[in-house]
Amino acid sequence: MNNEIKLSETLEDIVLQMSLKYKGEDNIVSSRDVELSDEVENDLPEYLKTLQEAGFIEKYEYYFPGAWQVTITPELLTYFVDKDKKNKEPDTETESGSEIVSDVSKDLISDNAKEETQKNIDLKAVGRLVRQIKKYNIVLEAEFGPNVSVIRELAQAIDYMISTGEAQDMILPALLSLRDEALKTGNGIITNGIYHMIQDIL
């Protein structure tokens, strides 16, 4: 991350949208993945040039409004994490993983979701979802408000289940509850990203 360049709110929004839509395969994000506002599209060449100078884009191709492609760098994907580190936000994860899974299963997973335990799911894709949520920890509160703790607890519980192999039958119910909670309490880019990633997994 180039610490000399401070990103504007618009540039941060572009970075966020590219990060959420990145499929994790070839470092390519294009207009087929990300839909930008007309206002942003009109000045997109300048925005892409600035992001390239900042080290977040390796190269870009701009054809005309609504048709572009960029090769992103790892720094783009970790931008908000790196920004968060500067603030040295204290770690609020005090419970053990097993306690969190227990609490989540009792209090945060709906009865309907608990019935969905038999479907095979791609654990690698689930892991990518959890990593995306962790990357945007600093901006979660702005989107989910007082309900952000539920989103974080569900994501943390899913992460624990994947990494330890414990309570595997609760991963799908937790995913469904995470999707429903995101739709219920959020209405922005991150909400849409969480919803679509979970729908792809299902």
Side-chain angles (χ1 to χ4, degrees):
M1 178 179 176
N2 188 336
N3 294 318
E4 299 302 317
I5 297 180
K6 297 184 183 299
L7 298 187
S8 66
E9 183 176 337
T10 299
L11 285 170
E12 285 196 340
D13 185 56
I14 294 172
V15 167
L16 180 60
Q17 292 196 53
M18 287 183 177
S19 299
L20 288 173
K21 296 299 183 180
Y22 175 55
K23 296 181 175 62
E25 297 170 355
D26 52 10
N27 298 334
I28 300 295
V29 179
S30 73
S31 51
R32 292 189 298 271
D33 307 309
V34 178
E35 183 176 347
L36 300 172
S37 68
D38 291 340
E39 183 179 356
V40 171
E41 284 282 2
N42 290 336
D43 296 319
L44 190 58
E46 283 301 313
Y47 291 136
L48 296 180
K49 180 180 178 182
T50 300
L51 290 174
Q52 185 180 45
E53 292 173 349
F56 300 115
I57 290 177
E58 183 178 327
K59 61 180 180 180
Y60 66 89
E61 296 173 90
Y62 182 84
Y63 309 106
F64 51 83
W68 50 269
Q69 177 174 290
V70 301
T71 302
I72 64 174
T73 65
E75 285 75 18
L76 182 140
L77 296 176
T78 61
Y79 169 75
F80 290 103
V81 172
D82 295 335
K83 181 179 177 180
D84 190 26
K85 286 179 180 177
K86 291 183 180 180
N87 299 328
K88 295 184 178 179
E89 183 178 53
D91 186 1
T92 58
E93 298 178 0
T94 56
E95 291 183 280
S96 70
S98 59
E99 289 174 333
I100 290 170
V101 170
S102 176
D103 290 344
V104 164
S105 64
K106 286 188 298 185
D107 303 325
L108 301 182
I109 298 179
S110 68
D111 291 336
N112 289 337
K114 287 177 183 177
E115 296 175 4
E116 299 287 341
T117 59
Q118 302 303 316
K119 189 173 183 178
N120 291 325
I121 56 177
D122 183 350
L123 293 183
K124 289 184 179 179
V126 177
R128 287 194 294 270
L129 167 68
V130 172
R131 288 193 295 274
Q132 288 287 71
I133 293 174
K134 284 186 173 182
K135 283 176 185 175
Y136 305 116
N137 182 58
I138 191 172
V139 295
L140 291 179
E141 194 161 345
E143 185 152 330
F144 297 106
N147 294 310
V148 69
S149 61
V150 177
I151 302 296
R152 286 173 173 156
E153 287 175 28
L154 283 166
Q156 188 179 353
I158 293 168
D159 187 34
Y160 178 81
M161 287 185 272
I162 292 174
S163 62
T164 65
E166 294 184 20
Q168 294 282 295
D169 61 332
M170 296 303 296
I171 293 177
L172 180 56
L175 275 177
L176 294 172
S177 293
L178 176 60
R179 179 198 63 186
D180 295 343
E181 188 64 32
L183 288 175
K184 182 173 67 176
T185 61
N187 59 359
I189 295 171
I190 298 177
T191 297
N192 291 331
I194 290 174
Y195 173 78
H196 288 297
M197 287 188 76
I198 292 177
Q199 287 301 103
D200 288 343
I201 291 169
L202 301 178

